[in-house]
Amino acid sequence: GPDSGGSFVFTSSGGVYEGLDGEVVDESYSTLDPESNPRQGRLIYAEREAISMGGCALRLAGLYTLERGAHNYWLERCAETGVQGREDGIVNLLHYDDAASACLAALKVGSKVTSKQTYLISDGNPTTRRGIIESALKNERYAEFTMPSFLGKSDGPKGKVYDGSKSNEELQWKPTYASFDDFMTSTSKAAL
């Protein structure tokens, strides 16, 4: 923390934010009630502890690589059973490498900027469940797969849109991959 000269970064999840109907959420948006939502509650309590000690919390979007993430699971495991959730449900994403570089950026700007702060980190280009699959199918790794069915109803939760522009500015950071589609169309299976 600031008194001992170091920085501490706790990585958390944007899943702690309220919002189900396409709302735009930023760092100041209210979180879910930790008592009513035990899974997110564990993260919220851990964030509070890290922040009370002078650290900062980076709330990350859904993480992925070519072989890991919702796209891989949905294409490889849900072909016959279908994907839970509505196809137009909003999903915010972030490449693992970009998550790591955001952590490094927080350490680099130092505790005078980050102490006791919460940041929201994503690529800034939310997509949908269907959009994730459409992008993945553009990559040679997934070219032989087909679009799975989506099991959610149009009246189900839509999700939320992350606005991490304040975080990006304060951390002097931007993602290498501007979007999930950008990653999938610029990465070949052989390159990884």
Side-chain angles (χ1 to χ4, degrees), residues 12-19 22-27 29 59-63 90-94 119-127 159-166 168:
S12 186
S13 168
V16 301
Y17 288 111
E18 289 184 346
E23 300 94 332
V24 175
V25 302
D26 64 13
E27 299 80 2
Y29 204 80
R59 293 177 175 162
L60 306 176
L63 297 171
I90 299 166
V91 182
N92 299 273
L93 295 170
L94 182 67
Y119 297 101
L120 179 56
I121 308 298
S122 76
D123 65 19
N125 286 292
T127 186
K160 51 200 166 250
V161 174
Y162 294 174
D163 175 5
S165 55
K166 178 180 176 249
N168 296 359

Side-chain angles (χ1 to χ4, degrees), residues 47-70:
E47 284 181 6
R48 289 178 184 170
E49 185 66 23
I51 288 168
S52 75
M53 302 296 287
C56 70
L58 268 59
R59 293 177 175 162
L60 306 176
L63 297 171
Y64 70 88
T65 64
L66 183 62
E67 299 284 336
R68 295 186 73 173

